[in-house]
């Protein structure tokens, strides 16, 4: 054990060797895989979960946002907890609690209970990803740090690809609780192997004060904001006293949180980092980009299953190939990021994201699976050039001792933006669909020749007039939600283009910022 009170991220243990390093890498990667998988596996299962628990699919998005918000709140606490309890003990505890929370999610009898257990699952998962990076880097010689992070990054890219496929197959062939139960054997094996290899490599433990008031304010304003976003669409937004109250609580909570964190000696979140241009420019660009990306990732399978007749498995097959080019190109980005201005790579990523969403904005109800698949494949190129370059920009110029705090804060903002993106996109989708439905319905009247002919044809085929009108209304619904999705895809493409100048507000990142630290913060 090191006697000096060093940062928990720099404990001077000798690198692992041979089979211990191999099995240690596999165990850590398996835990990360399980964690990241749970951010995407529920996406294609939302209609099944919502139907089984008796709520609407848009209410079912709470299953995703509750996990994301709780996870975002836990991430900034990782540094304090790792120094208080030790990195290895905290990692093992995180994995074991994640397994227990997954089991509880599968047993949930109603949506309220499932959301509560998903929030618990997200919170206990908070330390898992940053600590897996720390333990993995400590297992390899410095010369192989880039290789270690490349292997780790590959795991985090495979998981989102497998999530929709696995979630879709399980939903169609088993029952939805099994999307959570599959974590149990993976988590138990990962925790057992990690403990066996790393238990003698724990970090020094120090008793540090925790900013309990700052943490409480963080939970209050983030929680109130997310509940407001999720309930707003069901309660007519600011026409509802409850939504107004939540908005006031979120705004006041944020104001008190900012005032407290800027004055406390041991803040739970180091807000002084936003005084650095690269940090705030990189964090804002990453977070807005991720919020747009994640919101559209949730929207696509919802649209495919509700209005295009796709099964959960088919929706998973359409969304899964996003990781193909990401997997192939990520090693190239990792090797060249130190030689190329990361602002160029980030600009390329945003332009490709804009192209993908522009292509999707031209979808129609006759789109075949190949038409839908092509933008998904191209999106993988953008993903490869998105995370590492932007994190390189965000963390550039920071001293090593501030990297963990900066990585935790930027990840907190990014994860919170992902949850906000999901709520905003699903709300706008419904609102725009209602507008398009009203406009399309105006054409269905006795003076419209095509409408009269269509109704007569349906009645002639054996339907009653009420059934014929219901059939026409279903077609109008399908068109309205298709047009609404097109609106969101198009607006998202424009926002990605507007983010490009923001990247160039940052200073050029020095070459030293582009290696393991950037990879370590990427997810």
């Amino acid at each position: 054990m090191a006697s000096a009170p060093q940062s928990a991220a720099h404990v001077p243990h000798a690198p692992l060797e041979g089979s211990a390093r191999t099995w240690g890498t596999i165990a850590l990667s398996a835990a990360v895989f399980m964690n990241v998988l749970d951010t995407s596996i529920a996406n294609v299962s939302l209609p099944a979960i919502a139907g089984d628990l008796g709520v609407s699919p848009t209410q079912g998005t709470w299953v995703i946002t509750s996990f994301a918000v709780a996870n975002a709140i836990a991430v900034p606490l990782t540094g304090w907890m790792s120094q208080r309890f030790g990195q290895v003990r905290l990692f093992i505890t995180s994995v074991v609690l994640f397994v227990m929370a997954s089991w509880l999610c599968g047993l949930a009898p109603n949506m309220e209970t499932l959301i509560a257990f998903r929030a618990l699952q997200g919170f206990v998962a908070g330390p898992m990803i940053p600590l897996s990076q720390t333990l993995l880097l400590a297992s390899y010689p410095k010369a192989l740090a880039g290789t270690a992070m490349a292997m780790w990054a590959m795991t985090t890219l495979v998981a989102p690809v497998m999530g929709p496929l696995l979630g879709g197959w399980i939903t169609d062939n088993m029952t939805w609780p099994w999307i959570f139960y599959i974590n149990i054997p993976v988590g138990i094996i990962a925790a057992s192997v990690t403990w066996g290899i790393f238990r003698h490599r724990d970090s020094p433990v120090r008793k540090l004060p925790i900013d309990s008031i700052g943490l409480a304010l963080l939970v209050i304003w983030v929680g109130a904001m997310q509940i407001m976003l999720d309930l707003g669409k069901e309660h007519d937004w600011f026409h509802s006293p409850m939504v107004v109250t939540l908005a006031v609580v979120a705004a006041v909570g944020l104001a008190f949180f900012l005032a407290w964190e800027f004055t406390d000696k041991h803040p739970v979140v180091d807000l002084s980092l936003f005084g650095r241009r690269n940090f705030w420019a990189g964090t804002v660009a990453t977070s807005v980009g991720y919020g747009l990306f994640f919101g559209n990732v949730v929207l696509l399978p919802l649209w495919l299953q509700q209005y295009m007749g796709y099964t959960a498995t088919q929706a998973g097959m359409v969304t899964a190939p996003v990781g193909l080019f990401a997997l192939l190109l990520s090693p190239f980005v990792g090797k060249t990021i130190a030689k190329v201005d990361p602002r160029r790579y980030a600009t390329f990523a945003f332009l490709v994201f804009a192209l993908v969403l522009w292509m999707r904005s031209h979808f129609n109800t006759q789109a075949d699976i190949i038409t839908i698949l092509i933008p998904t494949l191209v999106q993988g190129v953008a993903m490869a050039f998105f995370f590492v370059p932007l994190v390189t920009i965000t963390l550039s110029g920071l001293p090593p001792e501030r990297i963990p705090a900066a990585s935790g804060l930027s990840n907190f903002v990014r994860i919170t933006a992902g949850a906000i993106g999901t709520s905003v996109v699903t709300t706008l989708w419904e609102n725009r669909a209602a507008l398009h439905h009203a406009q399309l319905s105006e054409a269905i009247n006795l003076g419209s020749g095509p409408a009269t002919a269509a109704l007569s044809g349906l009645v002639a085929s054996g339907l009653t007039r009420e059934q014929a009108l219901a059939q026409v209304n279903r077609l109008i619904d399908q068109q309205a939600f298709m047009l609404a999705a097109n609106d969101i895809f198009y607006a998202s493409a424009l926002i990605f283009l507007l983010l490009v100048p923001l990247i160039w507000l940052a200073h050029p990142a020095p070459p030293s910022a582009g290696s393991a630290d950037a990879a370590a913060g990427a997810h």
Side-chain angles (χ1 to χ4, degrees):
M1 283 290 179
S3 58
Q6 295 171 338
S7 169
H10 299 285
V11 178
H13 288 292
L16 292 172
E17 294 181 354
S19 61
R21 188 163 73 193
T22 302
W23 284 109
T25 302
I26 292 171
L28 293 170
S29 299
V32 172
F33 181 88
M34 171 183 71
N35 186 324
V36 179
L37 187 76
D38 263 48
T39 63
S40 65
I41 195 170
N43 289 6
V44 296
S45 306
L46 282 184
I49 294 172
D52 194 35
L53 298 181
V55 300
S56 70
T58 48
Q59 288 174 306
T61 58
W62 279 55
V63 174
I64 297 170
T65 56
S66 58
F67 179 94
V69 170
N71 191 249
I73 291 170
V75 166
L77 298 177
T78 302
W80 176 83
M81 288 192 292
S82 63
Q83 293 185 72
R84 181 67 182 81
F85 303 108
Q87 292 174 358
V88 177
R89 288 187 189 88
L90 179 59
F91 180 82
I92 299 297
T93 303
S94 177
V95 174
V96 171
L97 290 176
F98 187 86
V99 167
M100 294 173 65
S102 299
W103 177 63
L104 290 171
C105 285
L107 295 176
N110 53 52
M111 182 56 75
E112 291 78 10
T113 311
L114 177 58
I115 290 166
F117 289 147
R118 275 288 278 177
L120 173 65
Q121 189 187 36
F123 187 81
V124 300
M128 206 184 300
I129 288 180
L131 288 181
S132 71
Q133 299 164 347
T134 303
L135 294 174
L136 193 61
L137 283 172
S139 305
Y140 282 74
K142 284 190 176 180
L144 295 176
T147 302
M149 281 298 104
M151 293 168 65
W152 181 90
M154 296 280 267
T155 305
T156 61
L157 287 170
V158 170
V161 175
M162 291 296 296
L165 279 174
L166 200 55
W169 187 87
I170 289 171
T171 302
D172 285 342
N173 295 281
M174 300 168 73
T175 54
W176 65 262
W178 281 96
I179 68 176
F180 301 113
Y181 292 152
I182 60 169
N183 292 332
I184 296 172
V186 177
I188 291 172
I189 294 169
S192 302
V193 175
T194 303
W195 180 249
I197 293 172
F198 290 91
R199 68 181 183 275
H200 299 303
R201 298 170 61 85
D202 215 340
S203 58
V205 174
R206 291 192 291 152
K207 289 191 175 181
L208 296 172
I210 184 169
D211 176 16
S212 54
I213 294 178
L215 174 60
L217 290 169
L218 177 70
V219 172
I220 288 169
W221 80 261
V222 172
M225 178 187 68
Q226 190 58 51
I227 294 170
M228 178 197 76
L229 288 169
D230 284 338
L231 288 181
K233 55 181 173 284
E234 301 168 31
H235 295 273
D236 201 18
W237 287 101
F238 296 106
H239 292 93
S240 162
M242 180 177 61
V243 174
V244 172
T245 302
L246 287 166
V248 171
V249 170
V252 173
L254 174 59
F256 275 99
F257 173 76
L258 293 174
W260 182 267
E261 292 301 282
F262 275 122
T263 56
D264 192 67
K265 289 182 179 179
H266 301 279
V268 71
V269 177
D270 184 4
L271 296 176
S272 66
L273 287 160
F274 281 108
R276 304 181 66 93
R277 185 193 292 186
N278 277 30
F279 182 82
W280 69 256
T283 298
V284 171
T286 305
S287 301
V288 176
Y290 184 77
L292 289 170
F293 163 74
F294 201 72
N296 282 285
V297 162
V298 172
L299 174 62
L300 190 62
L302 277 176
W303 167 63
L304 289 173
Q305 291 179 79
Q306 290 183 54
Y307 298 102
M308 293 294 284
Y310 281 57
T311 64
T313 303
Q314 290 169 334
M317 289 177 68
V318 169
T319 54
V322 71
L324 183 61
F325 280 119
L327 212 57
L328 294 174
L329 293 173
S330 284
F332 166 78
V333 175
K335 287 178 182 177
T336 58
I337 191 69
K339 303 171 186 175
V340 179
D341 187 340
R343 296 177 300 178
R344 296 181 183 273
Y345 277 172
T347 298
F348 177 69
F350 283 178
L351 292 175
V352 175
F353 270 129
L355 172 65
V356 166
L357 289 159
W358 178 79
M359 292 168 72
R360 285 180 177 159
S361 72
H362 289 79
F363 283 170
N364 57 52
T365 55
Q366 306 303 314
D368 58 24
I369 194 165
I370 300 298
T371 304
I372 296 168
L373 204 57
I374 290 172
T376 305
L377 277 169
V378 176
Q379 186 170 288
V381 177
M383 286 179 66
F385 288 84
F386 179 74
F387 280 112
V388 173
L390 279 167
V391 174
T392 301
I393 292 168
T394 305
L395 303 183
S396 64
L398 287 169
E401 64 271 13
R402 298 194 76 185
I403 294 287
S407 180
L409 178 53
S410 61
N411 272 284
F412 160 71
V413 179
R414 175 182 63 81
I415 295 166
T416 304
I420 293 171
T422 302
S423 296
V424 170
V425 163
T426 51
T427 298
L428 287 176
W429 188 42
E430 288 194 345
N431 289 348
R432 295 295 299 174
L435 176 65
H436 286 297
H437 189 283
Q439 292 173 339
L440 291 169
S441 297
E442 290 175 0
I444 309 300
N445 55 62
L446 295 175
S448 168
T452 304
L455 286 170
S456 300
L458 289 169
V459 171
S461 67
L463 298 180
T464 65
R465 184 167 180 82
E466 289 73 21
Q467 289 172 329
L469 285 169
Q471 182 67 23
V472 170
N473 189 64
R474 169 67 184 170
L475 291 172
I476 293 173
D477 262 347
Q478 186 184 31
Q479 291 292 338
F481 277 92
M482 174 72 268
L483 291 170
N486 286 349
D487 291 343
I488 291 169
F489 292 144
Y490 189 76
S492 299
L494 289 178
I495 297 172
F496 267 116
L497 291 177
L498 293 173
L499 285 175
V500 172
L502 179 62
I503 298 167
W504 290 91
L505 288 176
H507 300 296
S512 59
S515 57
D517 285 334
H523 296 270

